Every structure is written in structure tokens, then in C-alpha cells.
Amino acid sequence: MYILNNTKEVIPYLSAHKDIVKRNNPRMPQKWVINEHNRTFLKWFKQQVQADRTTSDTLNWLSSEPNFDVICWCGYDINNYTFHTQKEDEKSTTQNSGVMVVVESMHFSSSKDKNPVMASMCYFGVIKDIWVIDYTSFRVPIFKCKWVDGNTGVRTDDLGFTLVDLEKEGYTEEPFIMASQAKQVFYVTDPEDNRWSVVLQGRPMHYADDNNEVVLDISETPSFSSNMPTLNVDNEVDDVHAIRDDHHEGLWENIAT
């Protein structure tokens, strides 16, 4: 269902089916309509596509549902990033399992809320599994993730840094995202409270410095900070740096000053 919801050709069918459910149940709240839509869409979609002989091959294969045999990987290159599962990360000193996705969704204050609000929200997590869903004529890579609860596990500190508590899991019923939607992030333990981790944005693969060396410099890595003060760093030397070369072993150093 997540794949269908995020496939451009299916969007007109999604809208049409929601309208039908709403029209047939005019007294039901919006949240109920969405749940009923999700429950009944697959069968309706399949009937609509099979009855229309002018639909594309993509729609025909999507309506036929994928093979139940799933191809699994421990790593995947996409969006100019190298992603790994958390289990694969545990074998290495590098970190490639951190992931973030920006999702626009409908927010309800309660099950009877008649005026839900559409809003974009950042979700942070780690990749548990990498699956490639096989629709015979094409394949769709997806990430199964452990997500941080956005209500209790994400906060912003005084400098505007985004911090997450990776132990506070949420959204367990919605673990999947399309691999094409994923943005890579790194989690660095907050020195003031090791329960929290600072979120750093990932650097695309093959990024090289002036000497053509593949590097990741924390001081130059976007950190989701909105209030970071301006510093004069012309003559400063970082006391922490990291080197990363794709999946090869990385090195974190504390350099004495």
C-alpha cells in the first residue's frame, strides 16, 4: 500500500477511491474515511485496472501485486548515498544506517476531528532491513526502518540542533519508506546527555575535498541546526574530525590541542 501511495500513476485512483468512500459514508469523520480507504483500496484498484484495457504496464503489474519472495540486501546505493542496515553497521566503525524522510501527512487531534491539518514532518530512524519488491517487469527497493517517536524522542536544543533518543520507538505500524525517498543522516552522541544523539546530515558519495580525498568533516556537515552562531574559523583547528570512504573502515579521532 505504501508503494501504491507513492507511485505517481496511482494517485488519480487513490483520489477517486477516497471520494467514493466519502460519498458513500457522508456522516463518517475524515479519519474513519481514510482507514476505510486504506482497507478497501487494493481490491478496488485491481478491479478498476483489470476492467480498463488501456492502462499502462506499470499499473497492470502494480494491481497484480508483487511476488511474495522478497530479495534482501544488507547495503544499497541510491540517491548518491550508500545505505546499510543497522546490523551491517555493527560490523564496522562507519555509520550508514541512519535515515531521515520528510513526509506530508494528515494530522488529527482525535478520531472525531473534522478539520485535520496537512503538514510536513521529518522522521528520523535507522534501517533494519532492505527489501527489493519484485513486480516481475520492475523492482522497487524499500527500507524497513525503526523510527524515533516524534512526540517523545525528538527535541531541539538551545542552539537549534535536532536531537533524537534512538531508544524511543514509534510508528511501528508504518516501518516502510521507498528507498528513493531516503536521506542519510548520522547520529553523534550528545556529550551532555548520552541518551540523546545529535542529528548530522549525510554527505553524498564521492564527495572530495581540494586534494581529491573522500572526507566527512563534522564542522562542514549540516546539522539541522537553525540557530547556530556565526564563528570565525580562519585560524581554528577542529578538535574532532571523521574520515569516511564509502564502506571501508572509517576513523574517529580525538586530537589533543
Side-chain angles (χ1 to χ4, degrees), residues 219-235:
S219 67
E220 298 177 357
T221 303
S223 58
F224 291 97
S225 173
S226 57
N227 301 314
M228 191 63 182
T230 301
L231 299 176
N232 181 2
V233 296
D234 290 343
N235 299 315

Side-chain angles (χ1 to χ4, degrees), residues 39-56:
R39 187 183 69 83
T40 59
F41 177 74
L42 292 174
K43 181 178 179 180
W44 178 88
F45 175 63
K46 187 172 185 177
Q47 292 173 342
Q48 295 299 308
V49 172
Q50 290 181 345
D52 185 354
R53 296 186 179 183
T54 65
T55 54
S56 68

Side-chain angles (χ1 to χ4, degrees), residues 10-26:
V10 184
I11 290 177
Y13 292 87
L14 292 164
S15 299
H17 185 256
K18 285 179 185 176
D19 289 342
I20 292 172
V21 174
K22 189 172 183 178
R23 187 166 59 249
N24 292 340
N25 303 275

Side-chain angles (χ1 to χ4, degrees), residues 132-163:
V132 177
I133 308 302
D134 183 11
Y135 284 94
T136 305
S137 68
F138 59 91
R139 293 173 175 175
V140 180
I142 61 175
F143 294 160
K144 184 179 182 181
C145 303
K146 174 185 174 182
W147 299 108
V148 176
D149 188 319
N151 296 316
T152 61
V154 180
R155 67 181 179 88
T156 304
D157 68 8
D158 294 339
L159 291 176
F161 285 97
T162 298
L163 288 83

Side-chain angles (χ1 to χ4, degrees), residues 85-224:
T85 62
Q86 187 177 38
K87 186 175 182 179
E88 187 70 12
D89 264 1
E90 293 172 355
K91 305 175 185 177
S92 171
T93 55
T94 59
Q95 186 185 136
N96 294 281
S97 61
V99 67
M100 183 270 284
V101 65
V102 180
V103 176
E104 186 175 83
S105 58
M106 192 168 291
H107 297 259
F108 296 85
S109 60
S110 70
S111 60
K112 297 181 180 180
D113 185 2
K114 296 182 179 180
N115 298 295
V117 177
M118 289 295 295
S120 294
M121 182 173 176
C122 292
Y123 293 86
F124 301 95
V126 292
I127 300 172
K128 304 298 290 186
D129 294 296
I130 299 173
W131 294 353
V132 177
I133 308 302
D134 183 11
Y135 284 94
T136 305
S137 68
F138 59 91
R139 293 173 175 175
V140 180
I142 61 175
F143 294 160
K144 184 179 182 181
C145 303
K146 174 185 174 182
W147 299 108
V148 176
D149 188 319
N151 296 316
T152 61
V154 180
R155 67 181 179 88
T156 304
D157 68 8
D158 294 339
L159 291 176
F161 285 97
T162 298
L163 288 83
V164 297
D165 184 343
L166 295 170
E167 296 303 317
K168 293 188 175 179
E169 185 176 1
Y171 321 111
T172 55
E173 296 181 356
E174 299 178 286
F176 295 103
I177 61 169
M178 308 273 273
S180 59
Q181 298 171 325
K183 297 184 183 298
Q184 193 170 70
V185 295
F186 297 95
Y187 301 115
V188 180
T189 301
D190 182 1
E192 293 187 352
D193 188 345
N194 58 18
R195 293 179 306 166
W196 294 88
S197 298
V198 181
V199 182
L200 301 178
Q201 294 187 51
R203 178 80 71 180
M205 287 191 301
H206 312 307
Y207 167 80
D209 65 4
D210 294 337
N211 297 320
N212 292 322
E213 294 181 355
V214 178
V215 299
L216 172 62
D217 189 336
I218 288 180
S219 67
E220 298 177 357
T221 303
S223 58
F224 291 97

